[in-house]
Amino acid sequence: VGPIPKGTPWADPSSPVGKEIAVRYHTGLKSEGRFYTDSNGREMVPRDRNKRGPSYPPLVVSEPVAGNYYPVNTAISVDDGDRELVVLTDVTQGGTSLTDGTVELMVHRRTIDDDSRGVFEGLSETMCGCESGLTHPLVRCDCPGLTVRGKHWLVFDVLAEAHVARRELAEELNFPPTLAFTDAAVEQGQKSWLAAALPKQVKLQTLTSNYASWHDDQVMLRLSHQYAAGEHAVLSRNVSVDLGSLFGSGFRVRAASEMSLTSNQDRGTMENRRLVWNVTDVTGGAVHSQIHAVQSSEKWQPMSGLVATLRPMEVKTFLVDLERPAVAFV
């Protein structure tokens, strides 16, 4: 999409006007003013048109369009309680649902004037990086505006199937295989460090030796649960993974310790130090209800031997003593 022209020949050719390009998908779903956007690819957060969450004061609608736009990192959806439309994107865009059953995503924009938010300039980048319209005795910018490329994948299905499809397709769209090239002779075929496929709701998030020098040559392993509480009847349950049988091809986890998310302290020590806050929900329980709708009520479960249990949406980090084969494969 693009470049977006600055001129407006259909209005006043002498006065450039900012423009925003959006894609809108229409369905007959009775979504009753509610839609969902993801939070950094994790929980799907409910959004109500012309409203704010229970901890906010009542909204005075002065921006019926801009006031209903939210960041969309991977997915936006609408449903009627039985069926759901999901639009997946490979880049972060602004999204909304301005009428029932519709999903709208802003795919490109070019503004001329500053929006009084501290940048002190419009959004009018060019393909060569100069300031569009700049005139100077030595410098002039005649470069066209930006052209953007991206993908939208659409899912329309019953709720349970749509929830599975959106999780799996979001991974495929945003984390495609990494291509590498070499002129060296390599063995053809497929190889994997994993002994078997992980449970459907578990993702191997991180496996790195970058921090081994700080942790006695231990490797950092991070696993994540891909579903929120209540998102799916089966896949939103707790799931256990045996780290001892996780890898194959000569690799084996001999020992493992669960750490905090950033691996700077033992998880058990962190849990024992966790502060307990006396909290009063001044909204009469509305905020707590919103949190508990997507958050597991079960407490953290420490490892049992080499078996780790993940709750819905939980991400766990481990330092593992990894046995390696005598000869590494390519």
Side-chain angles (χ1 to χ4, degrees):
V1 178
I4 300 175
K6 293 177 65 177
T8 52
W10 57 88
D12 182 0
S14 63
S15 177
V17 175
K19 305 169 188 68
E20 298 169 332
I21 299 176
V23 176
R24 185 178 296 166
Y25 301 95
H26 292 269
T27 73
L29 296 175
K30 305 299 182 183
S31 51
E32 298 182 350
R34 171 163 286 193
F35 59 103
Y36 298 81
T37 63
D38 72 288
S39 176
N40 289 322
R42 302 295 289 166
E43 293 99 336
M44 295 294 289
V45 181
R47 311 292 191 182
D48 292 312
R49 190 164 57 247
N50 292 332
K51 293 181 181 179
R52 292 294 182 264
S55 61
Y56 286 80
L59 178 66
V60 177
V61 181
S62 59
E63 293 283 355
V65 176
N68 286 297
Y69 257 80
Y70 294 89
V72 177
N73 301 119
T74 59
I76 180 173
S77 69
V78 290
D79 69 77
D80 62 1
D82 295 316
R83 299 165 299 166
E84 181 176 64
L85 168 70
V86 186
V87 182
L88 299 161
T89 176
D90 63 340
V91 294
T92 298
Q93 298 171 344
T96 186
S97 176
L98 296 177
T99 58
D100 280 3
T102 67
V103 166
E104 179 178 311
L105 285 161
M106 186 181 297
V107 296
H108 200 0
R109 67 191 309 216
R110 189 177 190 183
T111 63
I112 307 303
D113 299 318
D114 175 51
D115 60 1
S116 301
R117 295 294 185 271
V119 181
F120 303 110
E121 62 180 347
L123 295 175
S124 188
E125 295 92 341
T126 63
M127 294 297 291
C128 54
C130 62
E131 183 181 346
S132 177
L134 176 67
T135 56
H136 186 273
L138 299 177
V139 181
R140 178 178 177 85
C141 182
D142 292 321
C143 295
L146 294 181
T147 296
V148 299
R149 294 172 176 85
K151 299 177 183 178
H152 286 172
W153 287 3
L154 275 61
V155 176
F156 189 81
D157 209 334
V158 295
L159 279 179
E161 297 300 323
H163 287 180
V164 173
R166 74 187 184 191
R167 288 294 180 187
E168 295 180 352
L169 291 174
E171 290 295 315
E172 183 178 339
L173 181 60
N174 288 280
F175 300 97
T178 300
L179 299 179
F181 302 89
T182 179
D183 56 5
V186 295
E187 181 182 347
Q188 295 186 0
Q190 295 183 347
K191 291 184 179 180
S192 174
W193 281 17
L194 295 178
L198 286 166
K200 199 170 185 178
Q201 62 269 58
V202 176
K203 177 182 179 180
L204 199 163
Q205 191 89 28
T206 306
L207 181 64
T208 179
S209 60
N210 286 351
Y211 311 100
S213 59
W214 284 278
H215 297 294
D216 299 324
D217 202 35
Q218 290 180 305
V219 173
M220 179 189 290
L221 168 67
R222 189 174 285 126
L223 300 175
S224 63
H225 196 304
Q226 295 294 87
Y227 287 79
E231 186 175 356
H232 192 273
V234 175
L235 298 176
S236 289
R237 298 173 183 172
N238 289 3
V239 60
S240 296
V241 178
D242 185 357
L243 303 186
S245 59
L246 182 61
F247 298 110
S249 301
F251 294 85
R252 182 174 66 90
V253 174
R254 291 182 293 216
S257 302
E258 185 177 352
M259 308 296 288
S260 63
L261 187 63
T262 57
S263 191
N264 66 345
Q265 60 180 312
D266 177 78
R267 178 68 183 268
T269 302
M270 185 192 77
E271 292 292 336
N272 292 332
R273 292 175 175 173
R274 190 183 294 274
L275 296 176
V276 178
W277 299 93
N278 294 320
V279 178
T280 300
D281 188 348
V282 297
T283 63
V287 171
H288 282 166
S289 296
Q290 191 178 58
I291 294 173
H292 293 155
V294 296
Q295 188 178 77
S296 174
S297 60
E298 299 183 48
K299 295 183 178 180
W300 166 70
Q301 296 186 31
M303 295 182 68
S304 175
L306 288 176
V307 177
T309 300
L310 287 86
R311 299 169 293 172
M313 280 285 113
E314 187 172 29
V315 180
K316 286 194 171 187
T317 301
F318 309 91
L319 289 178
V320 302
D321 181 4
L322 186 65
E323 179 181 305
R324 299 168 174 85
V327 179
F329 64 83
V330 177

